[in-house]
Amino acid sequence: MPSLALDSTLNPPLNGSVGMNNNVIEQKGEHNIMSFNMVHEIVSEKTVKDAKKFYTETFEKYYRDGTPSVYMEKLLFDPQIATGDPDESMTMIKPPYLQ
């Protein structure tokens, strides 16, 4: 089994992003849920370094002992429903070469 460390060689970041969420579709459900929970925590409270450490330690324990974490079972935050841009829409002006 490959190492669970989240580094640029195992899990390359997309455009300099955290690198935790770029393979979400290919992973199992518990990986997806854990990834979303960790991204939420990075945005709201944790540092990237702390989140990577927690993510790695949690899955090492899961694969070694079979001990799941609540972070893998459900989203630990309430997804926001109305997240549209509150600004007013505007009509795009065509550049001269498209007119």
Coordinates of all heavy atoms in Angstrom, one line a residue:
M1 N 0.9 -1.2 0.0 CA 0.0 0.0 0.0 C 0.9 1.2 0.0 O 1.9 1.3 0.7 CB -0.9 0.0 1.2 CG -1.7 1.2 1.4 SD -2.7 1.4 2.9 CE -3.0 -0.2 3.4
P2 N 0.6 2.3 -0.8 CA 1.4 3.5 -0.8 C 1.3 4.3 0.5 O 0.3 4.1 1.2 CB 0.8 4.3 -2.0 CG -0.5 3.8 -2.2 CD -0.5 2.4 -1.7
S3 N 2.2 5.1 0.7 CA 2.2 5.9 1.9 C 1.0 6.8 1.9 O 0.5 7.3 0.9 CB 3.4 6.8 2.0 OG 3.3 7.7 3.0
L4 N 0.4 7.1 3.1 CA -0.7 8.0 3.2 C -0.3 9.5 3.3 O -1.1 10.3 3.5 CB -1.6 7.6 4.4 CG -2.3 6.3 4.2 CD1 -3.0 5.9 5.5 CD2 -3.2 6.3 3.1
A5 N 1.0 9.7 3.3 CA 1.5 11.1 3.4 C 1.0 11.9 2.3 O 1.0 11.4 1.1 CB 3.0 11.1 3.5
L6 N 0.5 13.1 2.5 CA 0.0 14.0 1.5 C 1.1 14.9 1.0 O 1.3 16.0 1.6 CB -1.2 14.8 2.0 CG -2.4 13.9 2.4 CD1 -3.5 14.7 3.0 CD2 -2.9 13.2 1.2
D7 N 1.9 14.5 0.1 CA 2.9 15.4 -0.4 C 2.8 15.5 -1.9 O 2.0 14.9 -2.5 CB 4.3 14.9 0.0 CG 4.6 13.5 -0.6 OD1 4.0 13.1 -1.6 OD2 5.5 12.8 0.0
S8 N 3.6 16.3 -2.5 CA 3.5 16.6 -3.9 C 3.8 15.5 -4.8 O 3.4 15.4 -6.0 CB 4.3 17.9 -4.3 OG 5.7 17.6 -4.0
T9 N 4.5 14.4 -4.3 CA 4.9 13.3 -5.2 C 3.7 12.3 -5.2 O 3.5 11.7 -6.2 CB 6.1 12.6 -4.7 OG1 6.0 12.2 -3.3 CG2 7.3 13.5 -4.8
L10 N 3.0 12.1 -4.1 CA 1.9 11.2 -4.0 C 0.6 11.8 -4.5 O -0.2 11.2 -5.2 CB 1.8 10.6 -2.6 CG 0.6 9.6 -2.4 CD1 0.8 8.4 -3.2 CD2 0.5 9.3 -0.9
N11 N 0.4 13.0 -4.1 CA -0.9 13.6 -4.3 C -0.7 15.0 -4.8 O -0.8 16.0 -4.0 CB -1.7 13.6 -3.0 CG -3.2 13.8 -3.2 OD1 -3.7 13.9 -4.3 ND2 -3.9 13.9 -2.1
P12 N -0.3 15.3 -6.1 CA 0.1 16.6 -6.5 C -1.1 17.6 -6.4 O -2.2 17.3 -6.8 CB 0.5 16.4 -7.9 CG -0.1 15.2 -8.4 CD -0.3 14.3 -7.1
P13 N -0.8 18.8 -5.8 CA -1.9 19.8 -5.7 C -2.3 20.3 -7.1 O -1.5 20.3 -8.0 CB -1.2 20.9 -4.9 CG 0.1 20.4 -4.4 CD 0.4 19.2 -5.2
L14 N -3.5 20.8 -7.1 CA -4.0 21.5 -8.4 C -3.8 23.0 -8.2 O -4.3 23.6 -7.3 CB -5.4 21.2 -8.6 CG -5.8 19.7 -8.8 CD1 -7.3 19.6 -9.0 CD2 -5.1 19.2 -10.1
N15 N -3.0 23.6 -9.1 CA -2.8 25.0 -9.1 C -2.4 25.5 -7.7 O -2.9 26.5 -7.2 CB -4.1 25.7 -9.5 CG -4.5 25.4 -10.9 OD1 -3.6 25.1 -11.8 ND2 -5.8 25.3 -11.2
G16 N -1.5 24.8 -7.0 CA -1.1 25.2 -5.7 C -2.1 25.1 -4.6 O -1.9 25.6 -3.5
S17 N -3.1 24.3 -4.8 CA -4.1 24.1 -3.8 C -3.6 23.2 -2.7 O -2.5 22.7 -2.8 CB -5.4 23.6 -4.4 OG -5.2 22.3 -4.8
V18 N -4.4 22.9 -1.7 CA -4.0 22.1 -0.6 C -3.6 20.7 -1.0 O -2.7 20.2 -0.5 CB -5.2 22.0 0.4 CG1 -4.9 21.1 1.5 CG2 -5.5 23.4 1.0
G19 N -4.2 20.2 -2.0 CA -3.8 18.9 -2.5 C -4.5 17.7 -1.9 O -4.2 16.6 -2.1
M20 N -5.5 18.0 -1.1 CA -6.3 17.0 -0.4 C -7.5 16.6 -1.2 O -8.0 15.5 -1.0 CB -6.7 17.5 1.0 CG -5.6 17.7 1.9 SD -6.2 18.3 3.5 CE -7.3 16.9 4.0
N21 N -8.0 17.4 -2.1 CA -9.3 17.2 -2.7 C -9.2 16.9 -4.2 O -10.2 16.8 -4.8 CB -10.2 18.4 -2.5 CG -11.5 18.0 -2.0 OD1 -11.8 16.9 -1.6 ND2 -12.4 19.0 -2.0
N22 N -8.0 16.8 -4.7 CA -7.9 16.6 -6.2 C -8.2 15.2 -6.7 O -8.4 15.1 -7.9 CB -6.5 17.1 -6.7 CG -5.4 16.4 -6.0 OD1 -5.6 15.7 -5.0 ND2 -4.2 16.5 -6.5
N23 N -8.2 14.2 -5.9 CA -8.5 12.9 -6.3 C -9.8 12.3 -5.7 O -10.0 11.1 -5.6 CB -7.4 11.9 -6.0 CG -6.2 12.2 -6.8 OD1 -6.3 12.6 -7.9 ND2 -5.0 12.1 -6.2
V24 N -10.7 13.2 -5.3 CA -11.9 12.8 -4.6 C -12.7 11.8 -5.3 O -13.2 10.8 -4.7 CB -12.7 14.1 -4.2 CG1 -14.1 13.7 -3.7 CG2 -12.0 14.9 -3.2
I25 N -13.0 12.0 -6.6 CA -13.8 11.1 -7.3 C -13.3 9.6 -7.4 O -14.0 8.7 -7.3 CB -14.1 11.6 -8.8 CG1 -14.9 12.9 -8.7 CG2 -14.8 10.6 -9.6 CD1 -15.0 13.6 -10.0
E26 N -12.0 9.5 -7.4 CA -11.3 8.2 -7.5 C -11.3 7.4 -6.2 O -10.9 6.3 -6.1 CB -9.9 8.3 -8.1 CG -10.0 8.9 -9.5 CD -8.6 9.4 -9.9 OE1 -7.6 9.2 -9.2 OE2 -8.6 10.0 -11.0
Q27 N -11.5 8.1 -5.1 CA -11.3 7.5 -3.8 C -12.6 6.9 -3.3 O -13.7 7.1 -3.8 CB -10.8 8.6 -2.8 CG -9.5 9.1 -3.1 CD -9.1 10.3 -2.2 OE1 -9.9 10.8 -1.5 NE2 -7.8 10.7 -2.3
K28 N -12.5 6.1 -2.2 CA -13.7 5.6 -1.6 C -14.5 6.7 -0.8 O -14.0 7.7 -0.6 CB -13.3 4.5 -0.5 CG -12.6 3.3 -1.2 CD -12.2 2.3 -0.1 CE -11.5 1.1 -0.7 NZ -11.1 0.2 0.3
G29 N -15.7 6.3 -0.5 CA -16.6 7.3 0.1 C -16.1 7.9 1.4 O -16.2 9.1 1.6
E30 N -15.4 7.1 2.3 CA -14.9 7.6 3.5 C -13.8 8.6 3.2 O -13.6 9.6 4.0 CB -14.4 6.5 4.5 CG -13.3 5.6 3.9 CD -13.9 4.4 3.2 OE1 -15.1 4.3 3.0 OE2 -13.0 3.5 2.9
H31 N -13.0 8.5 2.2 CA -12.0 9.4 1.8 C -12.6 10.7 1.4 O -12.2 11.8 1.7 CB -11.1 8.9 0.6 CG -10.2 7.8 1.0 ND1 -8.9 8.1 1.4 CD2 -10.4 6.5 1.1 CE1 -8.3 6.9 1.7 NE2 -9.2 5.9 1.5
N32 N -13.7 10.6 0.6 CA -14.4 11.8 0.1 C -14.9 12.7 1.3 O -14.7 13.9 1.4 CB -15.6 11.5 -0.8 CG -15.2 10.9 -2.1 OD1 -14.0 10.9 -2.5 ND2 -16.1 10.2 -2.8
I33 N -15.6 12.0 2.2 CA -16.2 12.7 3.3 C -15.1 13.3 4.2 O -15.2 14.5 4.6 CB -17.1 11.7 4.2 CG1 -18.3 11.3 3.3 CG2 -17.6 12.4 5.5 CD1 -19.1 10.2 3.9
M34 N -14.1 12.5 4.5 CA -12.9 13.1 5.3 C -12.3 14.3 4.6 O -12.0 15.3 5.2 CB -11.9 12.0 5.5 CG -10.7 12.4 6.2 SD -11.0 12.4 8.0 CE -9.4 12.6 8.6
S35 N -12.1 14.2 3.3 CA -11.6 15.3 2.5 C -12.4 16.6 2.6 O -11.9 17.7 2.9 CB -11.4 15.0 1.0 OG -10.4 14.0 0.9
F36 N -13.7 16.5 2.5 CA -14.6 17.6 2.6 C -14.5 18.2 4.0 O -14.5 19.4 4.2 CB -16.0 17.3 2.1 CG -16.2 17.1 0.7 CD1 -16.6 15.9 0.1 CD2 -15.8 18.1 -0.2 CE1 -16.8 15.8 -1.2 CE2 -15.9 18.0 -1.6 CZ -16.4 16.8 -2.1
N37 N -14.6 17.3 5.0 CA -14.5 17.8 6.4 C -13.2 18.6 6.6 O -13.2 19.6 7.3 CB -14.7 16.7 7.4 CG -16.1 16.3 7.5 OD1 -17.0 17.1 7.5 ND2 -16.4 15.0 7.7
M38 N -12.1 18.0 6.1 CA -10.8 18.7 6.3 C -10.7 20.0 5.6 O -10.1 21.0 6.1 CB -9.7 17.7 6.0 CG -9.6 16.5 6.8 SD -9.7 16.8 8.6 CE -8.4 17.9 8.9
V39 N -11.2 20.1 4.4 CA -11.2 21.3 3.6 C -12.0 22.4 4.4 O -11.6 23.5 4.5 CB -11.7 21.1 2.2 CG1 -12.0 22.5 1.5 CG2 -10.7 20.3 1.4
H40 N -13.1 22.0 4.9 CA -13.9 22.9 5.7 C -13.2 23.4 6.9 O -13.2 24.6 7.2 CB -15.3 22.3 6.1 CG -16.1 23.2 6.9 ND1 -16.1 23.2 8.3 CD2 -17.0 24.1 6.5 CE1 -17.0 24.1 8.7 NE2 -17.5 24.7 7.7
E41 N -12.5 22.5 7.6 CA -11.7 22.9 8.8 C -10.5 23.8 8.4 O -10.2 24.7 9.2 CB -11.2 21.7 9.5 CG -12.4 21.0 10.3 CD -12.0 20.2 11.4 OE1 -10.8 20.1 11.8 OE2 -12.9 19.6 12.0
I42 N -9.9 23.6 7.3 CA -8.8 24.5 6.8 C -9.4 25.9 6.6 O -8.8 26.9 7.0 CB -8.1 24.0 5.6 CG1 -7.3 22.7 5.9 CG2 -7.2 25.0 4.9 CD1 -6.8 21.9 4.7
V43 N -10.5 26.0 5.9 CA -11.1 27.3 5.7 C -11.5 28.0 7.0 O -11.4 29.2 7.1 CB -12.4 27.1 4.7 CG1 -13.1 28.4 4.6 CG2 -11.9 26.6 3.4
S44 N -12.0 27.2 7.9 CA -12.5 27.8 9.1 C -11.6 27.9 10.3 O -11.7 28.8 11.2 CB -13.8 27.1 9.5 OG -13.6 25.8 9.8
E45 N -10.6 26.9 10.5 CA -9.9 27.0 11.7 C -8.5 26.3 11.6 O -7.5 26.8 12.3 CB -10.6 26.3 12.9 CG -10.9 24.9 12.6 CD -11.9 24.3 13.6 OE1 -13.0 24.8 13.7 OE2 -11.5 23.3 14.3
K46 N -8.3 25.2 11.0 CA -7.0 24.5 11.0 C -6.0 25.1 10.0 O -6.4 25.6 9.0 CB -7.2 23.0 10.7 CG -7.7 22.2 11.8 CD -7.7 20.7 11.4 CE -8.4 20.0 12.4 NZ -7.9 19.0 13.2
T47 N -4.7 24.9 10.3 CA -3.7 25.2 9.3 C -3.6 24.0 8.4 O -4.1 22.9 8.7 CB -2.3 25.4 10.0 OG1 -1.9 24.1 10.6 CG2 -2.4 26.5 11.0
V48 N -3.1 24.2 7.2 CA -2.9 23.1 6.2 C -2.0 22.0 6.8 O -2.3 20.8 6.7 CB -2.3 23.7 4.9 CG1 -2.0 22.5 4.0 CG2 -3.3 24.6 4.3
K49 N -1.0 22.4 7.5 CA -0.1 21.5 8.1 C -0.8 20.6 9.1 O -0.6 19.3 9.1 CB 1.1 22.2 8.8 CG 2.1 21.3 9.4 CD 3.3 22.1 10.0 CE 4.3 21.2 10.6 NZ 5.4 21.9 11.3
D50 N -1.6 21.2 10.0 CA -2.3 20.4 11.0 C -3.4 19.5 10.3 O -3.6 18.4 10.8 CB -3.0 21.3 12.0 CG -2.1 22.0 12.9 OD1 -0.9 21.6 13.0 OD2 -2.5 23.1 13.5
A51 N -4.0 20.0 9.3 CA -5.0 19.2 8.6 C -4.4 18.0 7.9 O -4.9 16.9 8.0 CB -5.8 20.0 7.6
K52 N -3.3 18.2 7.3 CA -2.6 17.0 6.6 C -2.2 16.0 7.6 O -2.3 14.8 7.4 CB -1.4 17.5 5.8 CG -1.7 18.2 4.6 CD -0.4 18.7 3.9 CE -0.7 19.3 2.5 NZ 0.5 19.7 1.8
K53 N -1.6 16.5 8.8 CA -1.2 15.5 9.8 C -2.4 14.7 10.3 O -2.3 13.5 10.5 CB -0.5 16.3 10.9 CG 0.0 15.5 12.0 CD 0.7 16.3 13.1 CE 1.1 15.3 14.3 NZ 1.5 16.1 15.4
F54 N -3.5 15.4 10.6 CA -4.7 14.8 11.2 C -5.2 13.8 10.2 O -5.6 12.6 10.5 CB -5.7 15.8 11.5 CG -7.0 15.2 12.1 CD1 -7.1 14.7 13.4 CD2 -8.1 15.1 11.3 CE1 -8.2 14.1 13.9 CE2 -9.3 14.5 11.8 CZ -9.3 14.0 13.1
Y55 N -5.3 14.2 8.9 CA -5.8 13.3 7.8 C -5.0 12.0 7.7 O -5.5 10.9 7.7 CB -5.8 14.1 6.5 CG -6.4 13.4 5.3 CD1 -7.7 13.7 4.9 CD2 -5.6 12.6 4.5 CE1 -8.2 13.1 3.8 CE2 -6.2 12.0 3.3 CZ -7.5 12.3 3.0 OH -8.0 11.7 1.9
T56 N -3.7 12.2 7.7 CA -2.8 11.0 7.6 C -2.9 10.1 8.8 O -3.0 8.9 8.6 CB -1.3 11.5 7.4 OG1 -1.2 12.3 6.3 CG2 -0.4 10.4 7.3
E57 N -2.8 10.7 10.0 CA -2.9 9.9 11.2 C -4.3 9.2 11.3 O -4.3 8.0 11.7 CB -2.7 10.8 12.4 CG -1.3 11.3 12.6 CD -1.2 12.3 13.7 OE1 -2.2 12.8 14.3 OE2 0.0 12.7 14.0
T58 N -5.3 9.8 10.9 CA -6.7 9.2 11.0 C -6.8 8.0 10.0 O -7.3 6.9 10.4 CB -7.8 10.2 10.6 OG1 -7.7 11.3 11.5 CG2 -9.1 9.6 10.7
F59 N -6.3 8.1 8.8 CA -6.3 7.0 7.9 C -5.3 5.9 8.2 O -5.6 4.7 7.9 CB -6.2 7.4 6.4 CG -7.6 7.8 5.9 CD1 -7.9 9.2 5.7 CD2 -8.5 6.9 5.6 CE1 -9.1 9.5 5.2 CE2 -9.8 7.2 5.1 CZ -10.1 8.5 4.9
E60 N -4.2 6.3 8.8 CA -3.2 5.2 9.2 C -3.9 4.4 10.3 O -3.8 3.1 10.2 CB -2.0 5.8 9.7 CG -1.0 6.3 8.6 CD 0.2 7.0 9.1 OE1 0.3 7.3 10.4 OE2 1.1 7.3 8.3
K61 N -4.6 5.0 11.2 CA -5.3 4.3 12.3 C -6.4 3.4 11.7 O -6.6 2.3 12.1 CB -5.8 5.2 13.3 CG -6.4 4.6 14.5 CD -6.8 5.6 15.6 CE -7.4 4.9 16.8 NZ -7.8 5.8 17.8
Y62 N -7.1 4.0 10.7 CA -8.2 3.3 10.1 C -7.8 2.0 9.4 O -8.3 0.9 9.5 CB -9.0 4.2 9.1 CG -10.1 3.6 8.3 CD1 -11.2 3.1 8.9 CD2 -10.0 3.5 6.9 CE1 -12.3 2.6 8.2 CE2 -11.0 3.0 6.2 CZ -12.1 2.5 6.8 OH -13.2 2.0 6.1
Y63 N -6.7 2.1 8.6 CA -6.2 1.0 7.8 C -5.4 0.0 8.7 O -5.5 -1.2 8.4 CB -5.3 1.5 6.7 CG -6.1 2.0 5.5 CD1 -6.0 3.4 5.2 CD2 -7.0 1.2 4.8 CE1 -6.8 3.9 4.1 CE2 -7.8 1.7 3.8 CZ -7.6 3.1 3.4 OH -8.4 3.6 2.4
R64 N -4.8 0.5 9.8 CA -4.1 -0.4 10.7 C -5.0 -1.2 11.6 O -4.9 -2.4 11.8 CB -3.1 0.4 11.5 CG -2.2 -0.5 12.4 CD -1.2 0.4 13.2 NE -1.9 1.4 14.1 CZ -1.8 2.7 14.0 NH1 -0.9 3.2 13.1 NH2 -2.4 3.5 14.7
D65 N -6.0 -0.4 12.3 CA -6.8 -1.0 13.3 C -8.3 -1.2 12.9 O -9.0 -1.8 13.6 CB -6.8 -0.1 14.6 CG -5.4 0.1 15.1 OD1 -4.5 -0.7 14.9 OD2 -5.2 1.2 15.7
G66 N -8.7 -0.6 11.8 CA -10.0 -0.7 11.4 C -10.9 0.2 12.1 O -12.2 0.1 12.2
T67 N -10.3 1.2 12.8 CA -11.1 2.2 13.6 C -11.5 3.4 12.8 O -10.7 4.2 12.4 CB -10.2 2.6 14.8 OG1 -9.7 1.5 15.5 CG2 -11.0 3.5 15.7
P68 N -12.8 3.5 12.5 CA -13.2 4.7 11.7 C -13.3 5.9 12.6 O -13.4 5.8 13.8 CB -14.6 4.3 11.2 CG -15.1 3.3 12.2 CD -13.9 2.6 12.8
S69 N -13.3 7.0 11.9 CA -13.4 8.3 12.6 C -14.8 8.9 12.2 O -15.2 8.7 11.1 CB -12.3 9.2 12.2 OG -12.5 10.6 12.6
V70 N -15.3 9.7 13.1 CA -16.6 10.5 12.7 C -16.3 11.3 11.5 O -17.2 11.6 10.7 CB -17.1 11.2 13.9 CG1 -16.2 12.4 14.3 CG2 -18.5 11.7 13.7
Y71 N -15.1 11.8 11.3 CA -14.7 12.6 10.1 C -15.0 11.8 8.8 O -15.1 12.4 7.7 CB -13.3 13.0 10.2 CG -13.1 14.2 11.1 CD1 -13.0 14.0 12.5 CD2 -12.9 15.5 10.6 CE1 -12.8 15.1 13.3 CE2 -12.7 16.6 11.4 CZ -12.6 16.4 12.8 OH -12.4 17.5 13.6
M72 N -15.0 10.5 8.8 CA -15.2 9.7 7.6 C -16.7 9.3 7.4 O -17.0 8.8 6.4 CB -14.4 8.4 7.8 CG -12.9 8.5 7.8 SD -12.3 6.8 8.0 CE -10.9 7.2 9.0
E73 N -17.5 9.5 8.4 CA -18.8 9.0 8.4 C -19.9 10.0 7.9 O -20.9 9.6 7.3 CB -19.2 8.5 9.8 CG -18.4 7.3 10.2 CD -18.6 6.9 11.7 OE1 -19.3 7.6 12.4 OE2 -18.0 5.9 12.1
K74 N -19.7 11.2 8.2 CA -20.7 12.2 7.8 C -20.0 13.6 7.7 O -18.9 13.8 8.3 CB -21.8 12.3 8.8 CG -21.4 12.7 10.2 CD -22.6 12.7 11.1 CE -22.2 13.2 12.5 NZ -23.3 13.4 13.4
L75 N -20.7 14.5 7.1 CA -20.2 15.9 7.1 C -20.4 16.5 8.4 O -21.4 16.4 9.0 CB -20.9 16.7 6.0 CG -20.7 16.4 4.6 CD1 -21.5 17.3 3.6 CD2 -19.2 16.4 4.2
L76 N -19.4 17.2 8.9 CA -19.4 17.7 10.3 C -19.7 19.2 10.3 O -19.5 19.9 11.2 CB -18.1 17.5 11.0 CG -17.7 16.0 11.2 CD1 -16.4 15.9 11.8 CD2 -18.8 15.3 12.0
F77 N -20.3 19.6 9.2 CA -20.7 21.0 9.0 C -22.0 21.1 8.2 O -22.3 20.1 7.5 CB -19.6 21.9 8.3 CG -19.2 21.4 6.9 CD1 -19.8 21.9 5.8 CD2 -18.3 20.3 6.8 CE1 -19.5 21.4 4.5 CE2 -18.0 19.9 5.5 CZ -18.6 20.4 4.4
D78 N -22.7 22.1 8.3 CA -24.0 22.3 7.5 C -23.6 22.9 6.2 O -23.2 24.1 6.2 CB -25.0 23.1 8.3 CG -25.5 22.4 9.5 OD1 -25.7 21.2 9.5 OD2 -25.8 23.1 10.5
P79 N -23.8 22.2 5.1 CA -23.5 22.8 3.8 C -24.5 24.0 3.6 O -25.6 24.0 4.0 CB -23.9 21.7 2.8 CG -23.8 20.5 3.6 CD -24.2 20.8 5.0
Q80 N -23.9 25.1 3.1 CA -24.7 26.3 2.8 C -25.5 26.1 1.5 O -24.9 25.6 0.5 CB -23.8 27.5 2.7 CG -23.1 27.8 4.0 CD -22.2 29.0 3.9 OE1 -22.1 29.7 2.9 NE2 -21.4 29.3 4.9
I81 N -26.7 26.4 1.5 CA -27.6 26.2 0.3 C -27.5 27.4 -0.6 O -27.2 27.2 -1.8 CB -29.0 25.9 0.8 CG1 -29.1 24.7 1.7 CG2 -29.9 25.7 -0.5 CD1 -28.5 23.4 1.1
A82 N -27.8 28.5 -0.1 CA -27.8 29.7 -1.0 C -26.5 30.4 -1.0 O -26.2 31.3 -0.2 CB -28.9 30.7 -0.5
T83 N -25.6 29.9 -1.9 CA -24.2 30.4 -1.9 C -23.9 31.2 -3.2 O -22.8 31.5 -3.5 CB -23.2 29.3 -1.8 OG1 -23.4 28.4 -2.9 CG2 -23.3 28.5 -0.5
G84 N -25.0 31.6 -3.9 CA -24.8 32.4 -5.1 C -24.2 33.7 -4.8 O -24.2 34.2 -3.7
D85 N -23.7 34.3 -5.8 CA -23.0 35.6 -5.7 C -24.1 36.7 -5.4 O -25.1 36.8 -6.2 CB -22.3 36.0 -7.0 CG -21.5 37.2 -6.9 OD1 -21.6 38.0 -5.9 OD2 -20.7 37.4 -7.8
P86 N -24.0 37.4 -4.3 CA -25.0 38.4 -4.0 C -25.0 39.6 -4.8 O -25.9 40.4 -4.7 CB -24.7 38.7 -2.5 CG -23.3 38.5 -2.4 CD -23.0 37.3 -3.3
D87 N -24.0 39.8 -5.6 CA -23.9 41.0 -6.5 C -25.0 40.9 -7.5 O -25.5 39.9 -7.9 CB -22.6 41.1 -7.1 CG -21.4 41.4 -6.1 OD1 -21.7 41.9 -5.1 OD2 -20.3 41.1 -6.5
E88 N -25.3 42.1 -8.1 CA -26.2 42.1 -9.3 C -25.5 41.6 -10.5 O -24.3 41.9 -10.7 CB -26.7 43.6 -9.5 CG -27.5 44.1 -8.3 CD -28.0 45.5 -8.5 OE1 -28.0 46.0 -9.7 OE2 -28.2 46.2 -7.5
S89 N -26.3 41.0 -11.4 CA -25.7 40.5 -12.6 C -25.5 41.7 -13.6 O -26.2 42.7 -13.5 CB -26.6 39.4 -13.2 OG -27.8 40.0 -13.6
M90 N -24.6 41.5 -14.5 CA -24.4 42.5 -15.5 C -24.2 41.9 -16.8 O -23.8 40.8 -17.0 CB -23.2 43.4 -15.1 CG -21.9 42.6 -14.9 SD -20.5 43.6 -14.3 CE -20.0 44.5 -15.7
T91 N -24.5 42.7 -17.9 CA -24.4 42.2 -19.2 C -22.9 42.4 -19.7 O -22.3 43.4 -19.5 CB -25.3 43.0 -20.2 OG1 -26.6 42.9 -19.7 CG2 -25.2 42.5 -21.6
M92 N -22.4 41.3 -20.2 CA -21.0 41.3 -20.7 C -21.0 42.2 -22.0 O -21.8 42.1 -22.8 CB -20.5 39.9 -21.0 CG -20.4 39.1 -19.8 SD -19.2 39.7 -18.6 CE -17.7 39.5 -19.4
I93 N -19.9 43.0 -22.1 CA -19.7 43.8 -23.3 C -18.8 43.0 -24.2 O -17.8 42.5 -23.8 CB -19.1 45.1 -23.0 CG1 -20.1 45.9 -22.0 CG2 -18.8 45.9 -24.2 CD1 -19.5 47.2 -21.5
K94 N -19.3 42.8 -25.5 CA -18.4 42.1 -26.4 C -17.2 42.9 -26.8 O -17.3 44.1 -27.1 CB -19.2 41.7 -27.7 CG -20.3 40.7 -27.5 CD -20.9 40.4 -28.8 CE -22.0 39.3 -28.6 NZ -22.6 39.0 -29.9
P95 N -16.1 42.3 -26.9 CA -14.9 43.0 -27.4 C -15.1 43.3 -28.9 O -15.8 42.6 -29.6 CB -13.7 42.0 -27.2 CG -14.3 40.8 -26.7 CD -15.7 40.9 -26.4
P96 N -14.4 44.4 -29.4 CA -14.7 44.8 -30.8 C -14.4 43.7 -31.8 O -15.1 43.6 -32.8 CB -13.6 45.9 -30.9 CG -13.3 46.4 -29.6 CD -13.5 45.2 -28.7
Y97 N -13.5 42.8 -31.5 CA -13.2 41.8 -32.5 C -14.3 40.7 -32.6 O -14.3 39.9 -33.5 CB -11.8 41.1 -32.2 CG -11.7 40.4 -30.9 CD1 -12.1 39.1 -30.7 CD2 -11.1 41.1 -29.8 CE1 -11.9 38.5 -29.5 CE2 -11.0 40.6 -28.6 CZ -11.4 39.2 -28.4 OH -11.3 38.7 -27.2
L98 N -15.2 40.6 -31.7 CA -16.3 39.7 -31.7 C -17.6 40.3 -32.2 O -18.6 39.7 -32.4 CB -16.6 39.1 -30.3 CG -15.5 38.2 -29.8 CD1 -15.9 37.7 -28.4 CD2 -15.3 37.0 -30.7
Q99 N -17.6 41.6 -32.4 CA -18.9 42.3 -32.9 C -19.1 42.2 -34.4 O -18.2 42.0 -35.1 CB -18.8 43.8 -32.4 CG -18.9 43.8 -30.9 CD -18.9 45.3 -30.4 OE1 -19.0 46.2 -31.2 NE2 -18.8 45.4 -29.1

